Structure formats: C-alpha cells, structure tokens
Amino acid sequence: MIRVLICDDHLIVREGIKQILAEAEDLRVVGEAANGADALRGVRAGREAGQGPDVVLLDIAMPQRDGLDVLKALKSEFPKLPVLMLSTYPDRQYAVRSLKLGAAGYLNKSADSEQMIDAIRQVARGQLFITPSVAELLAGAVGAGGRHAVDDAQPLHERLSHREHQVYQLLAAGRSVGEIAEQLVLSPNTVSTYRARVLEKIGVRNDVELALFAVRLEQSAGPA
C-alpha cells in the first residue's frame, strides 16, 4: 500500500485527487494539507507515528509558503521522501526548477487520472517521473554544456523564486505594493522585500524599468 499526503490549498482540488486515488487499490490517502506548514507537520507527525506518507503530492502555488520552498524543506529533512509536484503553470516555467530542487516528478493538473496514478506508483518505486514535454525541457537544459552552464545561462526572470515571480508579474502589471499584499495575503513589508529581490535579480532600478523588461521579454518570446 502506497500512503499519500495531498498538499493543495484548494479543498475542491484535494477532494478531486482523493476521488482519483480511490480508484487504485494500492493507493491510500493518509493526510491532507492546505499550506506548506501543515504539509511539514503532517509528514513529521506521520513519521513519528510510524505511518508517514510514502509520497507527497505538493502544489506549487500556495499561500504563505510556496511549494518550492516547502520542497526544499522536505528534501532537507526527509531526503529520501518522493515529492511529486503539481501545478497549473506551463511545464517550462517550473518543471526543471522543481527537479533540480529534488522533486521526484512534475505533473500538470491537466493530466488525466491514469497518468497521476502511474506517476505516484513510479516515484514510490524510487524512479523519476518525467512527461515527454518535461524530458524535452531537461534535454535542452543540459544540452548546452552541463548543469553549471545551464545555471550560468539561465534567463534572469527564471532565477526568481515562485513568490518572487508572482510579485514580478503583478508589479509589471502596474499593481502597487499594497494591492499585491492584499492579493497574495502578505504584509506590505514582505512584498517590499520581494520587490527589492526582484529588482536586484533582474537588474533594474525601479518599477518602470521592470515593466519595460517584461514587455521586451514578452515580445521576444512571441506566440506561446
């Protein structure tokens, strides 16, 4: 029996995943978490009771502490625990980053139920789950001369953390610090800190230059 912990901030998503997993006799949901802190507590409590999860399904976009930060914490504390990242974002945005941080796989929420079940079984066996689209991204990432070359050549906006990227997008859209704080349920001081990191990592001095950077990036990318 493969024990699974589901971490997603949307109840309807967790309920949907539970229904999917209920179709497989060898999978059992042993816990749920609506945020990163609850996910860490759930894994720790389960391990102490001898009934910890064998696989963690972890959403990337969550309040308070995003999935990539939680992934780092889980891999630091439980390095052998397989973590399968879930996301609604395009694969090219977070797949490679998740795998480099130690995720056992990356699955878009648009995947069908059979693929999700297969992914859980695969990572539970200690294997890496990679879809063809993610495999193509990985091949492109290492094809230029290895991991260090990839890191050095990584586009500036892709060096942002998930939360920094959220702030970047909202700043580029003309939102104020106060508006961003309200939307992301953060304090204005925290948003200001993220803003400073974004400006530094991208190499611009203010929000106007950031918006111009975003426009040039979108123009250079062309149609998706």
Side-chain angles (χ1 to χ4, degrees):
M1 183 67 67
I2 301 172
R3 300 186 297 269
V4 181
L5 173 68
I6 303 171
C7 183
D8 192 291
D9 59 323
H10 293 100
L11 176 60
I12 191 170
V13 173
R14 299 198 304 272
E15 291 297 324
I17 293 175
K18 284 195 294 184
Q19 289 182 12
I20 290 173
L21 302 192
E23 300 174 5
E25 296 181 355
D26 59 333
L27 304 182
R28 180 163 64 93
V29 175
V30 294
E32 299 177 45
N35 56 60
D38 286 347
L40 290 168
R41 281 194 290 267
V43 174
R44 291 169 184 151
R47 288 296 177 93
E48 290 176 0
Q51 291 293 322
D54 300 306
V55 174
V56 174
L57 296 184
L58 180 59
D59 184 25
I60 283 184
M62 292 188 298
Q64 300 177 21
R65 190 172 185 180
D66 68 70
L68 295 181
D69 286 339
V70 177
L71 172 62
K72 292 179 190 177
L74 284 172
K75 298 309 294 183
S76 174
E77 194 167 343
F78 310 100
K80 295 184 179 180
L81 177 63
V83 180
L84 180 62
M85 303 302 291
L86 300 176
S87 177
T88 57
Y89 297 106
D91 291 351
R92 66 175 179 267
Q93 191 166 345
Y94 289 111
V96 174
R97 191 182 306 182
S98 297
L99 294 170
K100 288 170 70 174
L101 289 174
Y106 182 95
L107 186 65
N108 198 283
K109 290 182 182 178
S110 62
D112 59 39
S113 58
E114 290 185 3
Q115 189 175 40
M116 177 174 287
I117 290 173
D118 288 343
I120 293 172
R121 288 170 175 162
Q122 192 162 321
V123 300
R125 292 194 298 266
Q127 300 173 340
L128 194 64
F129 175 80
I130 301 177
T131 62
S133 62
V134 172
E136 186 175 345
L137 290 172
L138 286 173
V142 300
R147 178 170 182 172
H148 294 295
V150 172
D151 292 340
D152 293 339
Q154 188 180 31
L156 295 175
H157 66 288
E158 292 185 4
R159 300 181 184 183
L160 304 176
S161 70
H162 170 64
R163 186 67 82 188
E164 289 167 353
H165 195 275
Q166 285 182 309
V167 172
Y168 154 73
Q169 289 180 314
L170 293 171
L171 286 171
R175 302 289 181 85
S176 69
V177 167
E179 290 172 332
I180 296 173
E182 183 176 355
Q183 181 168 339
L184 299 182
V185 195
L186 299 170
S187 72
N189 286 341
T190 299
V191 173
S192 294
T193 299
Y194 281 123
R195 174 183 175 275
R197 292 179 188 170
V198 169
L199 297 181
E200 180 181 359
K201 288 185 178 182
I202 291 181
V204 295
R205 294 171 295 181
N206 52 50
D207 294 350
V208 174
E209 291 186 4
L210 184 70
L212 290 173
F213 171 87
V215 170
R216 289 195 298 270
L217 181 66
E218 184 175 352
Q219 291 174 342
S220 65

